[in-house]
Amino acid sequence: MNTEHFTVGFIGLGLIGGSIARTIRRVHPESMIYGFDIDTESGKLACKEGVLNQFFDEFDSRFATCDIIFLCAPVSINIEYLKKLKDMVSDQCLITDVGSVKGPMQQAVRELGMEPQFIGGHPMVGSEKTGYANSNDHLLENAYYFLTPSNNTQFHLTARFSSFVQGLGALAVTLKPEEHDYITASISHVPHIIAAELVHLVRKSDHNNGMLKQLAAGGFKDITRIASSSPVMWEQICLNNSDNIQQILRDMVADLQQVIKELDEKNGSFVNDYFKTAGEYRDSVPDHSVGLFTKVHKLYIDIPDEPGTIATAASQLAFNNISIKNIGIVHNREFEEGVLEIILYDEESCTRAAEVLRERNYTVHLR
């Protein structure tokens, strides 16, 4: 595969498919990129922006000319398109997916006899926002990109695809499909369920004219942000990785039952160690690489309640060409320091903003 002049197809142009397509267009501008999605507006926009050379509003035989095909629809739909591709593409066409569950897809590939040309893929990126309109050409940068080839995948395809992924700015990590599914259940699927459950817990308790909703901003809204993700997507994920998710949830329930028991016995040393070990492990998690959850670049500053103070702080950033994504007063500061919350677009902007404000004697708390 000539990485400067090759043809790539996308079946599905959502957040992930759209971002990969945008990145390929940026890194390999001479490539030919085809796209198909039931959302024709996304396809038209991708063509208008020059990301796609051509958009198909129905499954098209021209996918047979592709060197790489990305399946970017939900798992069950990807499997149906895989069946259509079986007798359409050559043996040297690399087919990959981007789903966060590998087991069902790998089984379908095996049953169809397509293992030699299939490499499961999963870029560890995401957002509570979905769709092509929210995609960008830097989403993959410094993000782990899981590759899950089978024992029967052509070795040279795996090597080439790993090199290709890294050329897009991602960090290629090769895993067995079953290892991948357990890992993602632990660090993504179950956390999404927990976030949703925390929201349900507050929702069911909010009997006092919505008072809990009013007061639950700040830290609560931040730690439950991922509960706003696509319900259609998460239905697919949970059903297709059910065994791993159930096992981890059972382990969690057992741990919570232990916490209840120790609280009942007023065991302060257990409670202390419970938070201590969690805090130590959490603080040891690296902050420099991109994970499954899109990082929110925030800082907080202390300001007096006086007219013009917000405008003054914002003007200082604007004067230094630092764009603000959002800004607002934090009313519930149980989990956050600082009165004014400023959300920036990226890590560099956040760091520069903190420097600018500290130089002007603001007390700044980085998220």
Side-chain angles (χ1 to χ4, degrees), residues 18-277:
S19 294
I20 297 174
R22 288 180 188 273
T23 305
I24 292 174
R25 176 60 70 210
R26 174 173 59 82
V27 178
H28 304 289
E30 300 304 315
S31 59
M32 179 71 69
I33 305 179
Y34 296 145
F36 161 72
D37 197 297
I38 58 174
D39 180 2
T40 56
E41 292 304 313
S42 292
K44 292 177 182 177
L45 178 59
C47 286
K48 181 179 179 181
E49 294 178 336
V51 173
L52 296 183
N53 293 94
Q54 193 160 1
F55 174 74
F56 309 130
D57 56 10
E58 59 183 26
F59 196 78
D60 195 279
S61 60
R62 277 168 287 187
F63 279 117
T65 65
C66 290
D67 298 293
I68 306 176
I69 294 177
F70 287 86
L71 298 172
C72 305
V75 175
S76 61
I77 299 175
N78 280 340
I79 291 174
E80 293 306 309
Y81 285 122
L82 188 69
K83 295 175 183 177
K84 294 182 179 182
L85 290 171
K86 176 176 169 55
D87 297 321
M88 179 185 293
V89 299
S90 74
D91 293 341
Q92 293 305 306
C93 174
L94 169 63
I95 301 175
T96 184
D97 72 332
V98 299
S100 68
V101 181
K102 294 297 155 208
M105 194 70 185
Q106 200 67 45
Q107 180 180 346
V109 169
R110 184 166 53 251
E111 292 173 351
L112 290 168
M114 300 178 71
E115 285 184 300
Q117 68 189 110
F118 182 85
I119 301 174
H122 177 206
M124 290 186 65
V125 295
S127 170
E128 69 275 17
K129 296 182 179 179
T130 59
Y132 177 82
N134 292 299
S135 64
N136 67 79
D137 65 357
H138 292 279
L139 193 66
L140 299 179
E141 284 188 358
N142 297 313
Y144 291 118
Y145 198 123
F146 287 150
L147 305 181
T148 60
S150 72
N151 293 332
N152 296 319
T153 302
Q154 298 178 68
F155 178 77
H156 75 277
L157 284 183
T158 302
R160 288 180 183 178
F161 191 51
S162 178
S163 177
F164 177 74
V165 162
Q166 293 183 90
L168 298 180
L171 307 172
V173 178
T174 302
L175 293 172
K176 295 180 179 179
E178 58 271 19
E179 291 177 323
H180 169 276
D181 285 358
Y182 183 80
I183 288 172
T184 52
S186 300
I187 64 175
S188 173
H189 305 165
V190 169
H192 273 82
I193 292 174
I194 294 170
E197 179 56 31
L198 286 172
V199 175
H200 284 304
L201 184 67
V202 171
R203 178 182 63 82
K204 293 174 182 178
S205 303
D206 200 0
H207 306 303
N208 190 16
N209 296 322
M211 182 61 72
L212 285 180
K213 181 189 293 185
Q214 182 67 28
L215 299 176
F220 176 82
K221 192 163 185 180
D222 192 40
I223 63 176
T224 58
R225 178 170 55 94
I226 56 176
S228 297
S229 299
S230 166
V232 174
M233 179 181 72
W234 281 99
E235 175 189 352
Q236 287 273 323
I237 289 173
C238 289
L239 293 180
N240 282 289
N241 202 18
S242 175
D243 289 347
N244 285 314
I245 290 173
Q246 288 183 70
Q247 182 56 57
I248 295 168
L249 285 174
R250 290 189 192 99
D251 293 342
M252 180 182 176
V253 169
D255 286 346
L256 290 174
Q257 289 174 335
Q258 179 69 21
V259 172
I260 292 171
K261 175 179 176 295
E262 300 298 341
L263 288 175
D264 188 55
E265 296 176 0
K266 308 298 182 184
N267 187 346
S269 62
F270 172 88
V271 175
N272 185 289
D273 187 64
Y274 180 79
F275 285 103
K276 179 175 180 290
T277 55

